Amino acid sequence: MTDHQALRRLKELLWVRGRSIAWAAPLLLLAGITAVDLNTTERFRIVSWIVLVPGIAAAICGVWTTAVFAVLSVLDYVAVDSAWPQQHQAGLPDFILVTFAGLLAILACVVRRQGERRMLHMRDIAETTLRTVLRPLPQGWAGLEHAAVYLAADSLARVGGDFYDIQPGLYGTRVLVGDVQGKGLGAVETAAALLGTFREAGYHERDLATVADRLETRMVRHRGHTVALGRDDGDRFATAVLLSFPPDSPDVVELINFGHEPPLAVGPTGVRPLPPGHGLPLGMADLTTTAGPPPTLTVTLAPGETLLITTDGVTEARNAADTFFDLTRTATLAPTPAPPLLVTHIRDAVLHHTHNHLSDDTTIFAVRRTATP
C-alpha cells in the first residue's frame, strides 16, 4: 500500500455516516492526559503532554478545530496545574510550551490544508488529462465488445504514457494500443499526439498500412518539434499494436505490430499468441532499410476469441522473488474470455503478483466482435 493509499484509508476511517469524527482522537487524548495527571502522585506529572493534543488535531482536523483544541489545551493546562499545591505545579515554562505548541499546530494545519487543496487541484488536472488522452469508450462501440484497465505506477500522477482507443471509420473499425517510452508529461504529450493522428487516419484511410505510415510520420514530426523546443526527446519512441476489423470479414482481424508484445487470442479452447510482425517501434523507421511500415498480418479468429493486449507494465511485472508475471498462464486460467471479466482477472493477478507495487504504468486491453453486429 502506498503512502497516498494509506492516507486515503485513514481519512475514510475518520468519517461515520457522512460526518467527520476526527475531533474524537485529540479530545480523548486531552481527557486521558487530564485524568492521569489528576489521579497520580506529584512524581508523575504529565500535564505538559497536552502539547500533543493540538499537534494531533493539526494532522487530522481542520484549522478551526485545531484552533479550538489549542485553546482548550491552554485552559486545561491552567486548570489542572492550578489544582496541585504550589510546590508541585509545573509553572510558567510549561505554560509557554503548551501555548507555543498550539500556535505552531494551527500554522501547521494551515500549511497542510493548503497542500491538500493543491493536491486535489492537481488530481483534477490529471483526471481531466486522462479523460482527454484515454477518452471513455461506449459499450459495444463500433461493433466491438471491449474492456480496459489503466493503472499508473505513480498513484498521484494517475496518468502516464500508455494509450488505447477504438475508432470506427469508413473502412472498418480500427484499434490502437501502445506505450510511449519514458515517463512524465513528455510521454503523455506524445501519446496524445499519436492518438489524435490515429483518430483521423483511422477514420479516413482505406488501408491499414497508410494509417501506420501516418502514425510513424506523426511520431517523427512530434519528436522534431519537442527537440526544437530544447527538450531531450530526440530518442523517444513508442511501441504499439494497430488492429483493423474489416466490416465484410467477421472472422478476420488485420494487425500491424510496432515492436510491441504480440496480442494473445483468448478463447474457450485456450490461449495462443498472434504473430509478432517484427516491426520496429514508432519513431525508429529510419533504422531499417525496408521502406514503408511493418507488414500487415491477417489473422483468422475462432468464434468467441478475445484479443488481449497489454503493455510492459504487465509482462515485466515482478514479485519479491524477482519472478516475472506469467501472462499466458494467467490468461489460460481466466474463467471466461469475455473482455470485462478477462481484464479484471488479469488486473487482480498482476496486483497480487506485485503486492500492489507497480514499477511501470500498466494497461490491460481486451476486445472482440460483438455477437450481433
Side-chain angles (χ1 to χ4, degrees):
M1 180 180 293
T2 65
D3 294 339
H4 177 67
Q5 291 171 326
L7 180 60
R8 184 173 61 183
R9 178 60 178 164
L10 176 61
K11 289 184 176 181
E12 291 174 353
L13 294 175
L14 296 176
W15 285 80
V16 175
R17 296 180 179 179
R19 294 180 179 273
S20 174
I21 58 169
W23 50 267
L27 182 61
L28 290 174
L29 181 61
L30 179 64
I33 293 173
T34 301
V36 171
D37 191 85
L38 291 175
N39 290 279
T40 54
T41 66
E42 68 278 1
R43 296 182 179 180
F44 194 70
R45 295 296 313 280
I46 63 168
V47 67
S48 60
W49 290 13
I50 286 180
V51 296
L52 298 175
V53 173
I56 296 296
I60 60 177
C61 299
V63 176
W64 286 108
T65 304
T66 301
V68 169
F69 276 108
V71 174
L72 284 177
S73 297
V74 173
L75 296 178
D76 189 79
Y77 172 84
V78 173
V80 172
D81 201 41
S82 300
W84 287 85
Q86 182 67 34
Q87 65 270 24
H88 300 309
Q89 292 182 359
L92 181 62
D94 282 0
F95 172 80
I96 296 175
L97 175 65
V98 172
T99 303
F100 188 64
L103 294 175
L104 285 181
I106 296 173
L107 178 61
C109 188
V110 170
V111 173
R112 176 181 68 84
R113 295 292 290 177
Q114 290 178 345
E116 289 179 348
R117 283 192 288 268
R118 285 195 298 269
M119 184 182 68
L120 290 175
H121 179 63
M122 293 303 296
R123 184 175 178 177
D124 290 340
I125 293 175
E127 289 179 347
T128 301
T129 303
L130 181 62
R131 288 194 299 269
T132 302
V133 177
L134 304 180
R135 62 178 180 176
L137 298 173
Q139 287 301 319
W141 181 235
L144 298 181
E145 182 183 2
H146 62 85
V149 167
Y150 173 79
L151 301 172
D154 184 351
S155 60
L156 296 180
R158 301 178 68 85
V159 62
D162 289 4
F163 57 91
Y164 58 84
D165 199 13
I166 298 175
Q167 180 58 57
L170 301 177
Y171 305 102
T173 301
R174 274 68 186 264
V175 175
L176 180 67
V177 182
D179 180 10
V180 176
Q181 175 265 337
K183 299 182 182 294
L185 292 178
V188 178
E189 184 181 3
T190 302
L194 290 173
L195 285 173
T197 297
F198 166 73
R199 288 161 185 165
E200 290 302 311
Y203 177 84
H204 290 285
E205 300 297 343
R206 177 186 298 272
D207 297 326
L208 193 64
T210 305
V211 180
D213 191 60
R214 292 275 299 275
L215 288 171
E216 174 66 27
T217 301
R218 185 69 180 99
M219 184 70 192
V220 173
R221 290 176 55 208
H222 174 75
R223 197 168 56 189
H225 176 258
T226 55
V227 170
L229 291 174
R231 288 159 45 183
D232 187 20
D233 285 356
D235 57 351
R236 192 183 295 277
F237 61 87
T239 65
V241 173
L242 178 62
L243 304 174
S244 179
F245 293 85
D248 55 350
S249 302
D251 60 343
V252 168
V253 61
E254 296 177 342
L255 163 70
I256 296 180
N257 192 323
F258 298 95
H260 202 84
E261 288 286 335
L264 296 179
V266 183
T269 60
V271 177
R272 61 187 177 99
L274 298 190
H278 305 295
L280 292 177
L282 291 167
M284 301 181 68
D286 56 341
L287 299 180
T288 179
T289 58
T290 304
T296 301
L297 307 176
T298 301
V299 179
T300 301
L301 299 178
E305 278 192 322
T306 295
L307 295 181
L308 176 64
I309 309 170
T310 65
T311 57
D312 56 10
V314 174
T315 54
E316 297 181 3
R318 305 188 189 195
N319 59 12
D322 209 31
T323 303
F324 285 105
F325 178 74
D326 192 337
L327 176 61
T328 302
R329 179 177 179 275
T330 305
T332 304
L333 298 175
T336 171
L341 296 178
L342 177 60
V343 163
T344 301
H345 174 75
I346 301 298
R347 178 202 63 190
D348 293 344
V350 170
L351 292 177
H352 176 74
H353 183 78
T354 61
H355 299 286
N356 293 327
H357 291 290
L358 299 174
S359 59
D360 198 1
D361 297 331
T362 299
T363 294
I364 308 166
F365 187 89
V367 62
R368 68 180 179 184
R369 291 185 188 265
T370 55
T372 303

PDB file of all heavy atoms in Angstrom, residues 287-304:
ATOM      1  N   LEU A 287      15.847   3.308 -38.860  1.00  0.00           N
ATOM      2  CA  LEU A 287      16.865   2.314 -38.528  1.00  0.00           C
ATOM      3  C   LEU A 287      16.782   1.072 -39.411  1.00  0.00           C
ATOM      4  O   LEU A 287      17.603   0.183 -39.289  1.00  0.00           O
ATOM      5  CB  LEU A 287      16.740   1.899 -37.053  1.00  0.00           C
ATOM      6  CG  LEU A 287      16.922   3.016 -36.023  1.00  0.00           C
ATOM      7  CD1 LEU A 287      16.776   2.454 -34.622  1.00  0.00           C
ATOM      8  CD2 LEU A 287      18.273   3.704 -36.197  1.00  0.00           C
ATOM      9  N   THR A 288      15.763   1.002 -40.261  1.00  0.00           N
ATOM     10  CA  THR A 288      15.610  -0.151 -41.140  1.00  0.00           C
ATOM     11  C   THR A 288      15.811   0.265 -42.587  1.00  0.00           C
ATOM     12  O   THR A 288      15.553   1.407 -42.972  1.00  0.00           O
ATOM     13  CB  THR A 288      14.216  -0.794 -40.969  1.00  0.00           C
ATOM     14  OG1 THR A 288      14.088  -1.903 -41.853  1.00  0.00           O
ATOM     15  CG2 THR A 288      13.119   0.217 -41.272  1.00  0.00           C
ATOM     16  N   THR A 289      16.271  -0.683 -43.379  1.00  0.00           N
ATOM     17  CA  THR A 289      16.473  -0.415 -44.806  1.00  0.00           C
ATOM     18  C   THR A 289      15.221  -0.686 -45.619  1.00  0.00           C
ATOM     19  O   THR A 289      15.171  -0.376 -46.812  1.00  0.00           O
ATOM     20  CB  THR A 289      17.617  -1.297 -45.345  1.00  0.00           C
ATOM     21  OG1 THR A 289      17.295  -2.674 -45.114  1.00  0.00           O
ATOM     22  CG2 THR A 289      18.928  -0.961 -44.645  1.00  0.00           C
ATOM     23  N   THR A 290      14.205  -1.249 -44.994  1.00  0.00           N
ATOM     24  CA  THR A 290      12.959  -1.557 -45.687  1.00  0.00           C
ATOM     25  C   THR A 290      12.066  -0.327 -45.687  1.00  0.00           C
ATOM     26  O   THR A 290      11.782   0.247 -44.628  1.00  0.00           O
ATOM     27  CB  THR A 290      12.230  -2.721 -45.003  1.00  0.00           C
ATOM     28  OG1 THR A 290      13.106  -3.847 -44.951  1.00  0.00           O
ATOM     29  CG2 THR A 290      10.982  -3.097 -45.769  1.00  0.00           C
ATOM     30  N   ALA A 291      11.623   0.078 -46.856  1.00  0.00           N
ATOM     31  CA  ALA A 291      10.766   1.252 -46.956  1.00  0.00           C
ATOM     32  C   ALA A 291       9.350   0.896 -46.537  1.00  0.00           C
ATOM     33  O   ALA A 291       8.877  -0.224 -46.750  1.00  0.00           O
ATOM     34  CB  ALA A 291      10.770   1.797 -48.379  1.00  0.00           C
ATOM     35  N   GLY A 292       8.656   1.874 -45.948  1.00  0.00           N
ATOM     36  CA  GLY A 292       7.263   1.684 -45.593  1.00  0.00           C
ATOM     37  C   GLY A 292       7.088   1.115 -44.199  1.00  0.00           C
ATOM     38  O   GLY A 292       8.056   0.800 -43.493  1.00  0.00           O
ATOM     39  N   PRO A 293       5.841   0.970 -43.787  1.00  0.00           N
ATOM     40  CA  PRO A 293       5.528   0.492 -42.439  1.00  0.00           C
ATOM     41  C   PRO A 293       5.767  -1.007 -42.304  1.00  0.00           C
ATOM     42  O   PRO A 293       6.032  -1.696 -43.308  1.00  0.00           O
ATOM     43  CB  PRO A 293       4.040   0.818 -42.302  1.00  0.00           C
ATOM     44  CG  PRO A 293       3.504   0.776 -43.691  1.00  0.00           C
ATOM     45  CD  PRO A 293       4.630   1.288 -44.562  1.00  0.00           C
ATOM     46  N   PRO A 294       5.700  -1.554 -41.106  1.00  0.00           N
ATOM     47  CA  PRO A 294       5.819  -3.008 -40.927  1.00  0.00           C
ATOM     48  C   PRO A 294       4.727  -3.738 -41.711  1.00  0.00           C
ATOM     49  O   PRO A 294       3.710  -3.150 -42.087  1.00  0.00           O
ATOM     50  CB  PRO A 294       5.637  -3.193 -39.409  1.00  0.00           C
ATOM     51  CG  PRO A 294       5.962  -1.866 -38.816  1.00  0.00           C
ATOM     52  CD  PRO A 294       5.539  -0.849 -39.821  1.00  0.00           C
ATOM     53  N   PRO A 295       4.908  -5.014 -41.952  1.00  0.00           N
ATOM     54  CA  PRO A 295       3.921  -5.760 -42.747  1.00  0.00           C
ATOM     55  C   PRO A 295       2.577  -5.858 -42.038  1.00  0.00           C
ATOM     56  O   PRO A 295       2.502  -5.913 -40.811  1.00  0.00           O
ATOM     57  CB  PRO A 295       4.571  -7.135 -42.897  1.00  0.00           C
ATOM     58  CG  PRO A 295       5.525  -7.245 -41.744  1.00  0.00           C
ATOM     59  CD  PRO A 295       6.034  -5.860 -41.516  1.00  0.00           C
ATOM     60  N   THR A 296       1.527  -5.888 -42.848  1.00  0.00           N
ATOM     61  CA  THR A 296       0.180  -6.083 -42.323  1.00  0.00           C
ATOM     62  C   THR A 296      -0.124  -7.574 -42.298  1.00  0.00           C
ATOM     63  O   THR A 296      -0.061  -8.243 -43.333  1.00  0.00           O
ATOM     64  CB  THR A 296      -0.860  -5.353 -43.187  1.00  0.00           C
ATOM     65  OG1 THR A 296      -0.551  -3.952 -43.227  1.00  0.00           O
ATOM     66  CG2 THR A 296      -2.259  -5.555 -42.635  1.00  0.00           C
ATOM     67  N   LEU A 297      -0.438  -8.097 -41.137  1.00  0.00           N
ATOM     68  CA  LEU A 297      -0.741  -9.505 -40.968  1.00  0.00           C
ATOM     69  C   LEU A 297      -2.249  -9.707 -40.922  1.00  0.00           C
ATOM     70  O   LEU A 297      -2.975  -8.885 -40.345  1.00  0.00           O
ATOM     71  CB  LEU A 297      -0.112 -10.045 -39.685  1.00  0.00           C
ATOM     72  CG  LEU A 297       1.394  -9.812 -39.510  1.00  0.00           C
ATOM     73  CD1 LEU A 297       1.856 -10.324 -38.154  1.00  0.00           C
ATOM     74  CD2 LEU A 297       2.173 -10.500 -40.625  1.00  0.00           C
ATOM     75  N   THR A 298      -2.716 -10.764 -41.514  1.00  0.00           N
ATOM     76  CA  THR A 298      -4.137 -11.110 -41.485  1.00  0.00           C
ATOM     77  C   THR A 298      -4.308 -12.383 -40.667  1.00  0.00           C
ATOM     78  O   THR A 298      -3.692 -13.403 -40.959  1.00  0.00           O
ATOM     79  CB  THR A 298      -4.690 -11.310 -42.900  1.00  0.00           C
ATOM     80  OG1 THR A 298      -4.510 -10.101 -43.648  1.00  0.00           O
ATOM     81  CG2 THR A 298      -6.172 -11.648 -42.845  1.00  0.00           C
ATOM     82  N   VAL A 299      -5.135 -12.293 -39.615  1.00  0.00           N
ATOM     83  CA  VAL A 299      -5.313 -13.402 -38.682  1.00  0.00           C
ATOM     84  C   VAL A 299      -6.786 -13.776 -38.648  1.00  0.00           C
ATOM     85  O   VAL A 299      -7.666 -12.900 -38.584  1.00  0.00           O
ATOM     86  CB  VAL A 299      -4.827 -13.025 -37.266  1.00  0.00           C
ATOM     87  CG1 VAL A 299      -5.052 -14.177 -36.296  1.00  0.00           C
ATOM     88  CG2 VAL A 299      -3.360 -12.628 -37.300  1.00  0.00           C
ATOM     89  N   THR A 300      -7.053 -15.058 -38.707  1.00  0.00           N
ATOM     90  CA  THR A 300      -8.417 -15.552 -38.580  1.00  0.00           C
ATOM     91  C   THR A 300      -8.687 -15.931 -37.129  1.00  0.00           C
ATOM     92  O   THR A 300      -7.915 -16.685 -36.517  1.00  0.00           O
ATOM     93  CB  THR A 300      -8.643 -16.785 -39.474  1.00  0.00           C
ATOM     94  OG1 THR A 300      -8.388 -16.429 -40.837  1.00  0.00           O
ATOM     95  CG2 THR A 300     -10.075 -17.289 -39.349  1.00  0.00           C
ATOM     96  N   LEU A 301      -9.749 -15.390 -36.576  1.00  0.00           N
ATOM     97  CA  LEU A 301     -10.099 -15.646 -35.183  1.00  0.00           C
ATOM     98  C   LEU A 301     -11.184 -16.714 -35.103  1.00  0.00           C
ATOM     99  O   LEU A 301     -12.112 -16.732 -35.914  1.00  0.00           O
ATOM    100  CB  LEU A 301     -10.588 -14.368 -34.513  1.00  0.00           C
ATOM    101  CG  LEU A 301      -9.581 -13.210 -34.445  1.00  0.00           C
ATOM    102  CD1 LEU A 301     -10.216 -11.993 -33.791  1.00  0.00           C
ATOM    103  CD2 LEU A 301      -8.324 -13.628 -33.684  1.00  0.00           C
ATOM    104  N   ALA A 302     -11.070 -17.573 -34.108  1.00  0.00           N
ATOM    105  CA  ALA A 302     -12.088 -18.586 -33.868  1.00  0.00           C
ATOM    106  C   ALA A 302     -13.289 -17.943 -33.190  1.00  0.00           C
ATOM    107  O   ALA A 302     -13.171 -16.865 -32.577  1.00  0.00           O
ATOM    108  CB  ALA A 302     -11.517 -19.702 -32.991  1.00  0.00           C
ATOM    109  N   PRO A 303     -14.453 -18.538 -33.283  1.00  0.00           N
ATOM    110  CA  PRO A 303     -15.641 -17.982 -32.613  1.00  0.00           C
ATOM    111  C   PRO A 303     -15.413 -17.829 -31.109  1.00  0.00           C
ATOM    112  O   PRO A 303     -14.922 -18.732 -30.442  1.00  0.00           O
ATOM    113  CB  PRO A 303     -16.724 -19.023 -32.910  1.00  0.00           C
ATOM    114  CG  PRO A 303     -16.277 -19.693 -34.171  1.00  0.00           C
ATOM    115  CD  PRO A 303     -14.780 -19.735 -34.093  1.00  0.00           C
ATOM    116  N   GLY A 304     -15.748 -16.650 -30.602  1.00  0.00           N
ATOM    117  CA  GLY A 304     -15.625 -16.395 -29.169  1.00  0.00           C
ATOM    118  C   GLY A 304     -14.261 -15.969 -28.699  1.00  0.00           C
ATOM    119  O   GLY A 304     -14.069 -15.715 -27.502  1.00  0.00           O
TER     120      GLY A 304
END
